[in-house]
Amino acid sequence: VVLADTLGRADPAHVAALAAEAMAQLPVRIALHLHDTHGMALAAVYAALEVGVTTFDAAIGGLGGCPYCPGAAGNLATEDLLYMLDGLGIQSGVSLDGLIAASRAIEPHVGHPLPSRVYRASASPA
């Protein structure tokens, strides 16, 4: 079962409580689909990890949106998620450099800068 915050408005405490309740009531794996409209998607992932959720949707560069939710931002950026998971010592088997390369290849075709913070930082001289 995938719990979705299509508007990107949920706060981490709400996400953790809802995920914990779903896990207690349903005999299936719980996953999260998060949009980053209010910049809380990574915080929500962290809170969900704390209650045992291990499956998360994400999109290269933070692509996405929602045609029936005007103003909703893109999905949680895969690069941002992976960077946080790596920092927490959680192995994903996914190459951060590969994700950044994929975003670099996709960005010219979408007509706007990709919102991924990690991707944006990789393009900046450090």
Side-chain angles (χ1 to χ4, degrees):
V1 171
V2 178
L3 304 176
D5 178 20
T6 306
L7 292 175
R9 297 174 111 182
D11 64 81
H14 182 111
V15 169
L18 183 62
E21 181 67 20
M23 289 171 36
Q25 299 295 323
L26 302 171
V28 296
R29 179 181 293 177
I30 299 299
L32 292 180
H33 175 90
L34 303 165
H35 288 244
D36 204 27
T37 307
H38 291 275
M40 300 302 297
L42 283 176
V45 167
Y46 188 84
L49 285 166
E50 292 286 303
V51 299
V53 177
T54 60
T55 304
F56 303 93
D57 289 347
I60 285 290
L63 287 171
C66 183
Y68 51 87
C69 296
N75 295 293
L76 169 62
T78 310
E79 301 92 324
D80 298 351
L81 174 61
L82 186 61
Y83 184 84
M84 184 181 81
L85 294 176
D86 285 350
L88 293 170
I90 298 171
Q91 299 297 312
S92 67
V94 178
S95 164
L96 182 57
D97 290 338
L99 291 173
I100 290 169
S103 286
R104 189 172 299 113
I106 290 168
E107 187 174 48
H109 302 283
V110 297
H112 60 81
L114 295 177
S116 167
R117 289 167 184 87
V118 170
Y119 171 67
R120 299 259 49 96
S122 74
S124 301

